[in-house]
Amino acid sequence: MTELKCTAKHCIHNADNYCCKGRIQVEGSDADVQEETCCGSFDERRDGAFCNVEEHPDRHLEVRCDAANCIYNQDLVCHADRIDIHGPSAHTTERTECATFQKR
């Protein structure tokens, strides 16, 4: 599994820059640069909402990936040792990106 760090602090799955979701989906099937990717698993944290108490932040997750042009994508799974999801001010999926993306 990939080590995932996430700066999308407005995502309900984010706790201390790690993800509580267990598995995420990176989107951007035609991406040529990291700005054309996004975290499809992003869900905006609304006022008063907290990470699910049944879920705990995890440093290592399964990362499904649609970015076919990324060197780390093998059979729609990310095989990078580490992935960074960037979006510290994101309130929507489109404002996040996979900062680890590297074009083939």
Side-chain angles (χ1 to χ4, degrees):
M1 292 191 170
T2 300
E3 181 179 350
L4 183 132
K5 187 91 173 200
C6 178
T7 64
K9 64 184 177 183
H10 298 290
C11 180
I12 197 165
H13 306 296
N14 186 311
D16 297 325
N17 290 326
Y18 294 104
C19 188
C20 294
K21 189 149 175 82
R23 177 176 77 167
I24 69 162
Q25 179 72 41
V26 172
E27 297 176 353
S29 58
D30 297 324
D32 287 319
V33 293
Q34 67 188 31
E35 293 84 4
E36 295 174 343
T37 65
C38 66
C39 179
S41 302
F42 177 92
D43 289 312
E44 185 179 14
R45 182 185 316 263
R46 306 266 186 228
D47 289 339
F50 296 97
C51 196
N52 184 332
V53 295
E54 297 297 319
E55 299 175 337
H56 302 284
D58 195 347
R59 293 177 65 140
H60 296 88
L61 302 176
E62 178 182 345
V63 179
R64 306 287 299 165
C65 181
D66 290 337
N69 295 328
C70 181
I71 63 172
Y72 299 113
N73 185 330
Q74 296 174 8
D75 298 321
L76 302 177
V77 175
C78 180
H79 287 275
D81 291 333
R82 178 187 164 117
I83 182 172
D84 292 308
I85 299 296
H86 183 70
S89 61
H91 288 275
T92 64
T93 295
E94 294 79 15
R95 302 284 299 180
T96 63
E97 64 186 46
C98 176
T100 307
F101 176 91
Q102 289 187 19
K103 186 173 168 71
R104 290 186 195 272

